[in-house]
């Protein structure tokens, strides 16, 4: 997927991409949670940065954070201060794909959280299989063989 940093959207397109109403976008801009658009009123344009800001707000809302807490997070410049990604709630449902890479080796992917397209998931699986094959086919050095004999696990 090509990500052009010069791409801009009108308000309706931005709202469709972020699955949000224009009213909420304006509200978030008013609260300074989202950057002001480029231009004004009917000629206003929004960039990928605006889209990412909206998606970040939605992610934290879905995790149960209040708008006040999200605003505090967005205003912090130190990424280390961010709260950890929320754990799924007991009883919540997520669809996880399992890709068999080799006998005894499985890759688990939560497509929603990974935010990968089907094409990207296939590429990930294919490249992981190739990497695993290269590792398996590589002949161990004498030192590695000795270490494996010392540590059977």
């Amino acid at each position: 997927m090509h990500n052009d940093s010069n791409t801009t959207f009108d308000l309706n397109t931005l709202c469709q991409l972020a699955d949000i109403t224009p009213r909420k976008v304006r509200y978030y801009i008013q609260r300074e949670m989202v950057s002001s658009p480029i231009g004004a009123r009917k000629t206003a344009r929004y960039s990928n940065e605006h889209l990412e800001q909206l998606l970040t707000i939605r992610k934290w809302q879905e995790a149960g954070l209040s708008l006040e807490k999200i605003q505090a997070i967005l205003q912090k410049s130190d990424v280390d201060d961010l709260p950890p990604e929320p754990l799924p709630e007991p009883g919540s449902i997520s669809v996880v794909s399992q890709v068999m890479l080799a006998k005894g080796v499985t890759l688990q992917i939560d497509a929603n959280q990974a935010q990968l397209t089907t094409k990207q998931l296939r590429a990930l699986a294919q490249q992981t299989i190739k990497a695993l094959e290269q590792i398996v086919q590589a002949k161990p050095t004498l030192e590695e063989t000795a270490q494996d004999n010392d540590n059977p696990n």
Side-chain angles (χ1 to χ4, degrees), residues 111-130:
N112 288 337
Q113 287 194 0
Q115 297 182 344
L116 297 174
T117 65
T118 303
K119 185 177 179 180
Q120 290 170 324
L121 289 171
R122 283 193 193 109
L124 173 64
Q126 290 170 351
Q127 291 178 15
T128 306
I129 289 169
K130 286 180 187 177

Side-chain angles (χ1 to χ4, degrees), residues 59-115:
K59 174 183 78 170
W60 290 117
Q61 281 183 315
E62 289 173 355
L65 273 65
S66 68
L67 281 181
E68 289 74 22
K69 180 69 175 171
I70 294 169
Q71 190 168 18
I73 291 168
L74 293 173
Q75 290 175 349
K76 286 187 180 183
S77 59
D78 189 358
V79 177
D80 294 333
D81 289 339
L82 294 178
E85 288 286 332
L87 295 173
E89 292 291 320
S92 65
I93 298 173
S94 69
V95 178
V96 178
S97 300
Q98 290 190 330
V99 180
M100 183 166 176
L101 302 175
K103 186 176 180 180
V105 181
T106 305
L107 175 64
Q108 287 190 336
I109 304 167
D110 184 326
N112 288 337
Q113 287 194 0
Q115 297 182 344

Side-chain angles (χ1 to χ4, degrees), residues 8-71:
T8 61
F9 317 102
D10 62 19
L11 181 59
N12 289 333
T13 303
L14 178 72
C15 291
Q16 287 175 338
L17 292 170
D19 192 25
I20 194 169
T21 64
R23 184 176 180 165
K24 279 189 181 178
V25 172
R26 291 185 191 105
Y27 178 70
Y28 295 149
I29 291 170
Q30 181 184 8
R31 287 191 67 161
E32 298 181 354
M33 296 173 72
V34 173
S35 303
S36 295
I38 304 156
R41 303 200 179 239
K42 293 186 186 219
T43 61
R45 303 295 293 173
Y46 300 85
S47 67
N48 285 327
E49 179 184 349
H50 293 99
L51 179 59
E52 289 191 24
Q53 290 170 338
L54 292 169
L55 294 175
T56 299
I57 292 168
R58 186 172 71 200
K59 174 183 78 170
W60 290 117
Q61 281 183 315
E62 289 173 355
L65 273 65
S66 68
L67 281 181
E68 289 74 22
K69 180 69 175 171
I70 294 169
Q71 190 168 18

